[in-house]
Amino acid sequence: MKTIRIVVFLLCTLLASTVMVQAKKVHTLGDSTMANYDESATVTRGWGMYFGNFLTNGWTSINYAKGGRDSRGGYNELWQTAKKNVEAGDYVIITFGHNDEKNGGMDGVELYNYYVNKGDMEAAKAVDQRGTIPSTTYKEYLGKMVDEAIAMGATPIVCSPVCRSYFGSDGKIKRNGRHDLGDSFSILTADGPTTGNKVPADDHTMDYGYHSQQLASEKGVAFIDLTTATAALYESYGDAKCHEYLFDGDGSTHFNTTGALLVARECARLMKAQGIMADNITLPVDITVAPATGDFGEAYVGQTLQKEFTISGFGLTPEAGTATVTATEGILLSTNKTDWQQTLTVNYAASTLVQTFYAQLTLTQKGAVSGTITVTQGDKQVNVPVSATAISLEGGTEVNAYWRLEKDDSYTLTGPATAIDQTFEGMEVQRYANPNSATVWPEWTGYDASRKMQRDLIVGGAWPADEIDDNPARYIQWGITAAVGTELKIDKLSLFAAGCGGNGICCHAYYSTDNFETRTTIFEMKKMPANNPQYIEATPVVTLKEGEQLLVRIYPWYNGAASGKTICLSDLTIHGMAMEATGILNQKTAAEKGNKPIYDLQGRQVAADSLSATSLKKGIYIINGKKTVVK
C-alpha cells in the first residue's frame, strides 16, 4: 500500500509540475482603457494590447478587456469568457473603475430596481444599470473574480484604475481624475437619489482605487497601484503635453499608442519591482519593435493590407538622434498612412523613442509572400520578418444580404445563406425619413438629401450625460448564417451611418463570429457631423462553417445629455462567397451514394442528393456546392 501511495504521489506531483511548466498565460480584464482596438479604425489604443510586449520566456498575454464594462460587467461577461481559458499557474490581471462611477457612485441595478418598485418605469428605463458603490458592490464583483481565479489555481493581480488626465490649476491630477468621487457624489436614499454630496479629502468612502487596494489586502493578493503611477506619469508631461503625446485627441480618458505602451510598461515595471513574475518580465532599454513578427495572415488576392508596428527604446545613446526604418521590395512604410515609401527616418530625444509606423502590402497573386522590415539606431539593428498568404475566392457562389432600411427592416438575400433579422437592444426605430433636408451624402454615391434612412432612438428618448464609450446593453444588430453544406467566406461588410439633431452622436461598429465573446472593430467616430452619412466598409477574411454566424453591431452613444437625437442607418451589406464544405454530408442516403444534398438559393434543402437533380423543377440550385440552372 505504501508503495502505491508513493507512486500516486509522484504521478500527481509530476502532473502538477507539468501543468506549471505549460502554464504560460496572463489574462487581462478591464475596460476601454485596457481594451483591444483595430488599428485601421481608430487611433485609440488600450494598454492591454501592449502588456505582452514585456513578457518573456514563452509567456503570452490574452486581453479580454472591453469598452463600457464596470466590475459587474467584468464578472458577468468578461470573466465568464476568460475563465474558459484559465489554467492552473496562469496570472489574471483585473482592473475596473471608470464605468463603476456611473450614476455618481450609486449602484445602477439598485437605482433601476428602486424606480421599478415605485412603478416609475419611465425613470427606470432611463437608468444606466452600470455603476457600483466603491465600498460594497465594486469590491463584491472584484472579489468574485479574485476568488474564482484562486480556486482555479491561477494568481490574480488587482490593479487600481488608470487616471483620467483631469489636471488642476496646481498641475496635479484632480481628485475625480484619480477615481475618488469624494468632491461630488450621489447616494440612493429611501426617498430617492441625492446629489452633490461631499466628504473631506482624507475620507476614502468614494475612492475606487482605495477600495480596490483594500480588496486586494483582504484577499491576500497582489495589488498594483496604477492610479498613483499614471498620475505621476501624466504630471511628468504636464497638462498640454500629456494630452498631446499620450492621449487619442478625444477627451482625457483614452490613450494613443504611446500612452498605452507606457502604461503597459509601468504595470510590468511595478510587477517586477514587487517580485511578481520577475523572471518572466523584461524591460528592454534598447530598441525593440512590436509586434516582433509581421504576420498579416490570410487575405484575398488584390487586397491591400496594413499593419501597425511600434518602435520603442529607452536609455538610448546618444540622448538625441534618429532611427531609420527600411523594408524589402513590395513593402511600403508610413507614419501617417498617407505618404508611403520604402525608408523612414524618425527622430527621438531624451534617450527615449516611441514611434508608431505602418507597413503596407498588396497581394497580387495567390500564395505566400514574405519580406523584412529593418530598424536601425546607431549600432543597433532589429529585423522584423513579414509574411502573408493570398487566397482566392474562385469557384464559389456569390452571397449577398442587403438591408436598405428605407421603409422597414426587410432585406434581400441572394445565394445559399440565411440572413439574421435586425434586432434592437436599448434602442428602437423612431421612423424612416431623410436625416435632414440639408443632408450631404458622399459625392461618389450620387444620392441626394431625399434619400431615406432608418432613424433609431435610445429607449426612453433621453441620452445620459456621462457616457464616453459604448454601453454594452445598447446596440443594433444584423447577421448572416452559413447554409448547410457550405463554407461561407465573408469578404465585405458595409453600411452608412449618420447622426441627426446635432453633432453629438458617437458610435462603434463591430463584427463577431462567436456571439460577441470577442469582436473586431470596423468603425469608430466621435461627435459625428450631423446629417453627413459616413460610409463604413470593411474587408474581413472570415470563414463560416455551416450553421456558424457572423453578427454586425452598431453601438451608439451621445456626447452629453440630450433628448430626441437619433442615429441614422442605411444600406447594410454582408457579402461573401459560398464554397462547398469539404466532407460535410448531412443526409445518410447522400453519404451512402457519395453525393451531397441539393439546396435552393436560400440554403433550404430541396432534394436528398445530387442524383435527384433530374426531378427538380426549373430554377437555380446549389448542387455539389456549385450554382446550377435547371431548365
Side-chain angles (χ1 to χ4, degrees):
M1 264 323 259
K2 185 174 181 181
T3 302
I4 294 173
R5 288 196 188 102
I6 292 172
V7 172
V8 171
F9 172 77
L10 290 173
L11 287 172
C12 290
T13 303
L14 179 61
L15 178 62
S17 64
T18 300
V19 170
M20 290 302 292
V21 168
Q22 292 175 342
K24 294 283 188 180
K25 301 187 296 294
V26 179
H27 307 266
T28 54
L29 294 95
D31 52 38
S32 59
T33 60
M34 182 192 251
N36 292 335
Y37 293 88
D38 190 310
E39 63 199 42
S40 64
T42 177
V43 298
T44 305
R45 301 289 183 266
W47 68 266
M49 297 172 66
Y50 302 100
F51 182 75
N53 293 4
F54 304 100
L55 299 178
T56 188
N57 297 328
W59 284 82
T60 59
S61 178
I62 306 173
N63 190 21
Y64 303 89
K66 288 184 181 178
R69 273 56 176 183
D70 61 358
S71 58
R72 179 186 281 111
Y75 174 75
N76 289 333
E77 179 190 353
L78 307 185
W79 173 241
Q80 302 312 312
T81 297
K83 69 182 182 181
K84 298 174 186 176
N85 303 314
V86 172
E87 298 178 319
D90 288 358
Y91 286 79
V92 181
I93 297 177
I94 304 165
T95 177
F96 293 92
H98 286 75
N99 299 296
D100 288 88
E101 299 172 6
K102 302 294 183 183
N103 300 300
M106 295 184 291
D107 186 278
V109 173
E110 291 179 6
L111 184 60
Y112 173 82
N113 290 332
Y114 168 80
Y115 286 119
V116 170
N117 293 333
K118 284 189 64 178
D120 189 348
M121 293 309 299
E122 286 302 311
K125 287 180 181 178
V127 171
D128 186 338
Q129 294 187 53
R130 292 174 295 173
T132 60
I133 300 169
S135 60
T136 58
T137 43
Y138 177 61
K139 290 176 66 177
E140 174 190 346
Y141 285 103
L142 291 181
K144 285 175 178 284
M145 288 180 271
V146 167
D147 289 344
E148 292 181 18
I150 292 173
M152 298 176 74
T155 301
I157 302 167
V158 176
C159 291
S160 60
V162 298
C163 287
R164 291 191 174 99
S165 53
Y166 295 168
F167 280 83
S169 57
D170 60 355
K172 302 294 184 182
I173 298 298
K174 294 192 293 185
R175 192 176 184 183
N176 59 343
R178 292 181 277 110
H179 303 284
D180 181 353
L181 304 185
D183 284 340
S184 179
F185 61 95
S186 301
I187 301 174
L188 179 59
T189 72
D191 298 320
T194 65
T195 60
N197 299 285
K198 186 173 182 176
V199 293
D202 59 354
D203 185 325
H204 297 290
T205 301
M206 297 303 296
D207 186 339
Y208 288 88
Y210 172 84
H211 286 288
S212 68
Q213 184 173 24
Q214 293 301 299
L215 182 279
S217 178
E218 292 164 11
K219 298 291 184 181
V221 300
F223 174 73
I224 301 297
D225 189 355
L226 277 186
T227 307
T228 298
T230 51
L233 174 65
Y234 302 171
E235 289 166 4
S236 71
Y237 280 81
D239 192 348
K241 289 185 178 180
C242 176
H243 282 85
E244 179 182 356
Y245 295 148
L246 306 183
F247 285 81
D248 67 355
D250 185 42
S252 302
T253 300
H254 298 114
F255 303 115
N256 61 17
T257 302
T258 301
L261 181 67
L262 291 178
V263 171
R265 191 176 194 275
E266 272 299 281
C267 183
R269 182 186 67 80
L270 292 171
M271 287 173 58
K272 193 175 183 73
Q274 292 185 33
I276 305 167
M277 296 187 69
D279 294 336
N280 300 304
I281 289 176
T282 179
L283 300 171
V285 295
D286 287 336
I287 290 288
T288 58
V289 181
T293 301
D295 183 4
F296 284 80
E298 289 187 336
Y300 302 119
V301 173
Q303 191 173 351
T304 297
L305 307 177
Q306 287 184 15
K307 192 171 186 66
E308 180 180 277
F309 295 86
T310 302
I311 311 169
S312 56
F314 304 91
L316 301 179
T317 55
E319 289 187 0
T322 62
T324 60
V325 188
T326 60
T328 52
E329 187 175 353
I331 303 171
L332 295 177
L333 307 170
S334 177
T335 56
N336 57 15
K337 295 186 180 181
T338 300
D339 303 310
W340 296 93
Q341 49 203 15
Q342 279 191 277
T343 301
L344 299 174
T345 300
V346 295
N347 300 316
Y348 71 88
S351 297
T352 301
L353 169 61
V354 178
Q355 175 67 55
T356 297
F357 71 91
Y358 305 89
Q360 186 180 90
L361 183 62
T362 300
L363 303 179
T364 57
Q365 59 185 13
K366 185 177 178 180
V369 296
S370 61
T372 304
I373 296 171
T374 301
V375 178
T376 304
Q377 184 268 325
D379 59 357
K380 303 177 182 67
Q381 189 174 89
V382 178
N383 292 316
V384 180
V386 172
S387 62
T389 301
I391 59 178
S392 173
L393 293 177
E394 294 177 357
T397 302
E398 185 176 17
V399 171
N400 196 72
Y402 174 67
W403 287 259
R404 169 64 184 87
L405 305 180
E406 178 184 24
K407 58 183 178 180
D408 55 33
D409 60 1
S410 63
Y411 59 83
T412 59
L413 174 68
T414 58
T418 301
I420 299 172
D421 290 333
Q422 183 183 26
T423 55
F424 298 84
E425 185 70 33
M427 296 289 294
E428 59 190 4
V429 177
Q430 182 198 55
R431 59 195 171 103
Y432 293 87
N434 61 325
N436 187 282
S437 59
T439 298
V440 179
W441 290 83
E443 186 175 349
W444 59 266
T445 65
Y447 301 155
D448 61 30
S450 66
R451 187 173 178 83
K452 293 182 179 180
M453 303 181 76
Q454 183 187 76
R455 296 177 60 151
D456 299 322
L457 182 65
I458 185 173
V459 170
W463 299 90
D466 60 349
E467 294 192 319
I468 59 171
D469 206 338
D470 57 55
N471 184 331
R474 185 192 310 130
Y475 59 83
I476 303 161
Q477 176 179 282
W478 308 260
I480 198 165
T481 305
V484 174
T486 70
E487 287 186 345
L488 181 55
K489 296 185 179 293
I490 304 296
D491 64 352
K492 182 181 178 182
L493 306 172
S494 64
L495 74 152
F496 287 100
C500 186
N503 297 325
I505 284 285
C506 313
C507 80
H508 285 142
Y510 307 103
Y511 74 81
S512 174
T513 57
D514 58 10
N515 199 30
F516 276 84
E517 285 195 7
T518 60
R519 63 190 185 183
T520 299
T521 308
I522 59 176
F523 180 76
E524 175 191 82
M525 193 166 192
K526 312 285 182 65
K527 304 176 186 176
M528 299 171 74
N531 312 315
N532 278 257
Q534 305 294 310
Y535 183 59
I536 302 169
E537 183 181 68
T539 309
V541 181
V542 172
T543 297
L544 303 177
K545 298 185 183 301
E546 63 168 302
E548 291 182 341
Q549 299 179 338
L550 178 139
L551 300 175
V552 179
R553 286 184 184 175
I554 302 292
Y555 283 82
W557 72 100
Y558 198 81
N559 181 43
S563 297
K565 312 298 185 182
T566 60
I567 183 169
C568 305
L569 305 170
S570 72
D571 299 282
L572 173 75
T573 299
I574 304 176
H575 183 273
M577 300 292 284
M579 307 291 187
E580 180 181 3
T582 304
I584 297 177
L585 293 170
N586 294 299
Q587 281 282 344
K588 183 178 180 181
T589 55
E592 291 171 345
K593 296 177 182 180
N595 294 287
K596 298 184 185 295
I598 302 171
Y599 304 94
D600 64 17
L601 291 182
Q602 280 68 50
R604 298 179 295 238
Q605 185 176 327
V606 295
D609 60 79
S610 58
L611 295 180
S612 303
T614 55
S615 63
L616 292 175
K617 297 178 181 179
K618 293 180 180 180
I620 302 176
Y621 300 92
I622 306 301
I623 302 178
N624 289 331
K626 296 181 179 179
K627 185 187 291 185
T628 303
V629 178
V630 176
K631 298 182 179 180

